[in-house]
Amino acid sequence: MAGLQGRLAAFAAARDWQQYHTPKNLAAALSVEASELVEIFQWLTPEQSARVMEDAEQAARVEDEVADVLAYLLQFCEVLGVDALAALSAKVDRNEARFPAKAP
């Protein structure tokens, strides 16, 4: 994760893009990319959406959008100093306490 964040930071720095990588701009970009991922599935039935990766062209689109979402999320976390894995672990802990599994 840290290695990818470093690559993304170096990529942006080489193009003098850090000035645009504010939390607000990165959050907006993340939202746009997530919406592009949603667009792929927008009119599919649940069954079609479950099979989307069977079509090579659609699979490539999904992978590209997933990569864009992850890239912007990692950059967002880097700018704000958020440890994404620690944040996720803490959230899972809270959800396990809030929503305990039902006993069999």
Side-chain angles (χ1 to χ4, degrees):
M1 181 92 69
L4 284 173
Q5 283 178 305
R7 280 183 69 190
L8 290 166
F11 182 88
R15 290 150 181 83
D16 196 29
W17 289 351
Q18 314 93 307
Q19 62 187 314
Y20 306 112
H21 287 190
T22 64
K24 178 191 86 58
N25 288 349
L26 290 169
L30 176 58
S31 175
V32 168
E33 295 302 337
S35 294
E36 290 178 5
L37 181 60
V38 169
E39 182 181 31
I40 296 168
F41 295 91
Q42 184 174 10
W43 302 112
L44 300 180
T45 65
E47 295 78 17
Q48 290 169 323
S49 70
R51 295 188 313 271
V52 75
M53 299 304 283
E54 294 172 6
D55 177 272
E57 185 177 322
Q58 288 294 82
R61 287 184 63 208
V62 169
E63 289 174 357
D64 280 349
E65 297 309 333
V66 166
D68 288 342
V69 168
L70 184 56
Y72 280 119
L73 180 59
L74 291 176
Q75 290 173 88
F76 180 82
C77 289
E78 177 77 15
V79 166
L80 290 180
V82 173
D83 179 331
L85 294 179
L88 178 56
S89 180
K91 180 67 175 188
V92 171
D93 289 344
R94 288 192 303 276
N95 283 344
E96 287 175 338
R98 284 180 61 199
F99 307 105
K102 294 185 185 346

